[in-house]
Amino acid sequence: MKRGILGGTFDPIHVAHLRMAIEAKEAFGLDEVVLEVAHVSPFKLDYEAAPPEARLQMVSLAVEGTPGLVAGRTEIDRPPPSFAVDTLEAHAGHDLVLILGADSLADLPAWREPERVATLARLAACSRPGFPLEEVVRALPELFARRVEPFSAPLLDVSSTDLRRRLREGRSVRYLIPDSVIRFIEETRLYL
């Protein structure tokens, strides 16, 4: 099985995450893309995210009815922090593609066991607003740069940080977050 892994805090999940997953699935002919919910990101140790189970529920709601997109709980079932190398090893036995925005790709050399990450999975990456993929790849050590397989995704300038702020301010997030996720946020008053 060809499996894509798109990891993230997903606090909350939004349309840019979902489009990236769909575009990678189509570009690489993946059977499925698992959106792995981080328990705690090693790059966000000082950030208090919504509870992992709530974030998993939002991802589950967001992918419901979309063939080939699956919510993943591998990382939230392990003690924090969440490391990509451990997640990829948990999915061993599949033809793995790690899906990255160029903003995340730029940090790859600082990850735990980045060389191992680059051997466990193909590195599929796309540009993100403010992070043109070509520039990020040029700045990477050769070991990683030569492993990057580019794909295109719409440059949607959407961030979970901005969405949480909008929600706290009572502003609309419609068309930025799936309606089912908005309902969950409203019912649980997660960011309100």
Side-chain angles (χ1 to χ4, degrees):
M1 173 180 281
K2 292 179 72 173
R3 177 176 289 170
I5 305 292
L6 175 59
T9 307
F10 303 121
D11 192 26
I13 190 166
H14 52 68
V15 295
H17 296 132
L18 297 166
R19 282 309 318 167
M20 188 184 309
I22 290 169
E23 297 294 342
K25 182 179 180 298
E26 292 175 353
F28 295 98
L30 303 174
D31 296 304
E32 68 179 13
V33 174
V34 181
L35 287 87
E36 283 287 357
V37 179
H39 195 143
V40 174
S41 167
F43 294 104
K44 298 179 180 179
L45 294 174
D46 59 344
Y47 164 71
E48 190 172 331
E53 291 292 341
R55 291 183 284 115
L56 177 65
Q57 181 65 31
M58 288 188 284
V59 172
S60 296
L61 290 167
V63 301
E64 191 173 283
T66 306
L69 297 191
V70 180
R73 63 176 302 123
T74 302
E75 295 186 1
I76 66 173
D77 287 342
R78 286 194 317 259
S82 301
F83 295 106
V85 67
D86 298 331
T87 302
L88 293 172
E89 286 175 347
H91 287 278
H94 299 281
D95 180 5
L96 296 177
V97 175
L98 183 61
I99 302 165
L100 302 162
D103 49 344
S104 295
L105 179 65
D107 294 332
L108 179 63
W111 291 13
R112 176 182 273 183
E113 299 183 55
E115 297 85 3
R116 179 107 174 100
V117 168
T119 61
L120 287 169
R122 295 163 56 194
L123 304 176
C126 64
S127 293
R128 293 278 295 131
F131 291 86
L133 181 59
E134 301 78 23
E135 289 179 24
V136 170
V137 171
R138 271 197 305 273
L140 286 174
E142 177 61 26
L143 168 70
F144 305 120
R146 71 173 181 257
R147 304 255 318 147
V148 174
E149 299 181 36
F151 71 98
S152 296
L155 286 176
L156 302 172
D157 196 3
V158 181
S159 79
S160 294
T161 302
D162 178 58
L163 293 171
R164 289 190 305 274
R165 183 180 48 73
R166 286 173 172 269
L167 287 160
R168 282 192 305 275
E169 294 172 356
R171 296 174 57 206
S172 174
V173 293
R174 186 161 171 104
Y175 305 117
L176 298 172
I177 299 174
D179 289 343
S180 58
V181 176
I182 292 172
R183 282 191 297 278
F184 175 83
I185 291 169
E186 290 171 346
E187 290 168 5
T188 61
R189 303 196 49 77
L190 192 55
Y191 303 110
L192 309 176

